[in-house]
Amino acid sequence: MVVPIRSFDGALSRLAGVLGESRCRDLMLLMACRVVVAADPMPVHVATDDAEVADWATDLGAAVVAAGRPGLTIAVSAAVDHLAAAGVERAVVAHADLALARALRPAVGPGLTIVGDRRRDGSNVVCVPTAAGFRFSYGPGSFGRHVAEAERLGLEVNIVDDDTLSTDIDHPEDLRHLPEDLRSALELDELVTSR
């Protein structure tokens, strides 16, 4: 499994006006830990060029894959190419901001298996065969682009509806979906319930 993480500093920048930079960083760390644990029993490869993230990943028992030039699409493509070269036949890519993640196994399947965000705009979890030549394309509208890419390649498309994997934290209104343990850890109960 691949988890791309650029850095913990500056993470969740769209939430900084509500949470402050320190809480954004802490929240990103907590969610990223949750995603790594949810990957079990799959081995985890964290795609990053950030030394702190690399140390964190190593401490959790994850492998580190150099992300290359900046950009989510580039980082994921480099990590999937790395897995392909190592003989891994299927790659699962999961974002690190999945606040409710408990198990990533439901997102493993044939062809393109994809979990979109709640808006069916982003691609929270993607599973593809590494040898398919799948071209990742993250950013707004990635769900539709990834489905279209699978169709271009003749891959079966499997859309997984799973609330625990479709809940990502990108915008201030997403904070109401934070589970109680994360709200408590960051002392966010009053802030979140007021949204």
Side-chain angles (χ1 to χ4, degrees):
M1 187 184 84
V2 173
V3 181
I5 304 175
R6 184 184 48 158
S7 174
F8 294 127
D9 291 329
L12 306 172
S13 59
R14 286 178 275 205
L15 304 177
V18 175
L19 299 180
E21 288 183 14
S22 178
R23 276 189 176 154
C24 284
R25 175 188 165 80
D26 292 345
L27 177 58
M28 189 70 233
L29 269 163
L30 290 170
M31 291 189 298
C33 285
R34 180 163 284 181
V35 170
V36 169
V37 169
D40 189 51
M42 294 181 283
V44 176
H45 298 78
V46 174
T48 190
D49 287 324
D50 182 87
E52 180 192 15
V53 173
D55 288 345
W56 166 85
T58 302
D59 288 347
L60 288 178
V64 176
V65 179
R69 297 184 321 250
L72 179 58
T73 298
I74 292 168
V76 168
S77 298
V80 170
D81 288 348
H82 173 82
L83 293 180
V88 175
E89 293 180 3
R90 295 196 63 75
V92 178
V93 180
H95 290 303
D97 66 344
L98 306 181
L100 304 178
R102 291 191 299 264
L104 287 159
R105 291 295 297 171
V108 177
L112 166 71
T113 301
I114 185 169
V115 181
D117 62 12
R118 289 183 311 281
R119 299 167 188 89
R120 280 267 170 100
D121 182 59
S123 305
N124 286 2
V125 186
V126 174
C127 178
V128 295
T130 58
F134 191 89
R135 291 187 290 211
F136 293 93
S137 180
Y138 286 99
S142 70
F143 183 89
R145 287 192 305 278
H146 286 148
V147 168
E149 173 66 359
E151 291 169 347
R152 181 187 74 82
L153 293 170
L155 296 175
E156 175 185 345
V157 175
N158 299 288
I159 298 171
V160 176
D161 291 315
D162 184 321
D163 290 341
T164 67
L165 298 177
S166 64
T167 301
D168 56 359
I169 306 299
D170 287 329
H171 305 282
E173 61 268 20
D174 296 334
L175 291 171
R176 70 178 187 273
H177 298 290
L178 280 178
E180 186 176 336
D181 64 324
L182 294 185
R183 289 197 314 261
S184 296
L186 298 171
E187 299 177 352
L188 296 177
D189 285 322
E190 286 185 26
L191 177 68
V192 170
T193 56
S194 68
R195 296 218 143 259

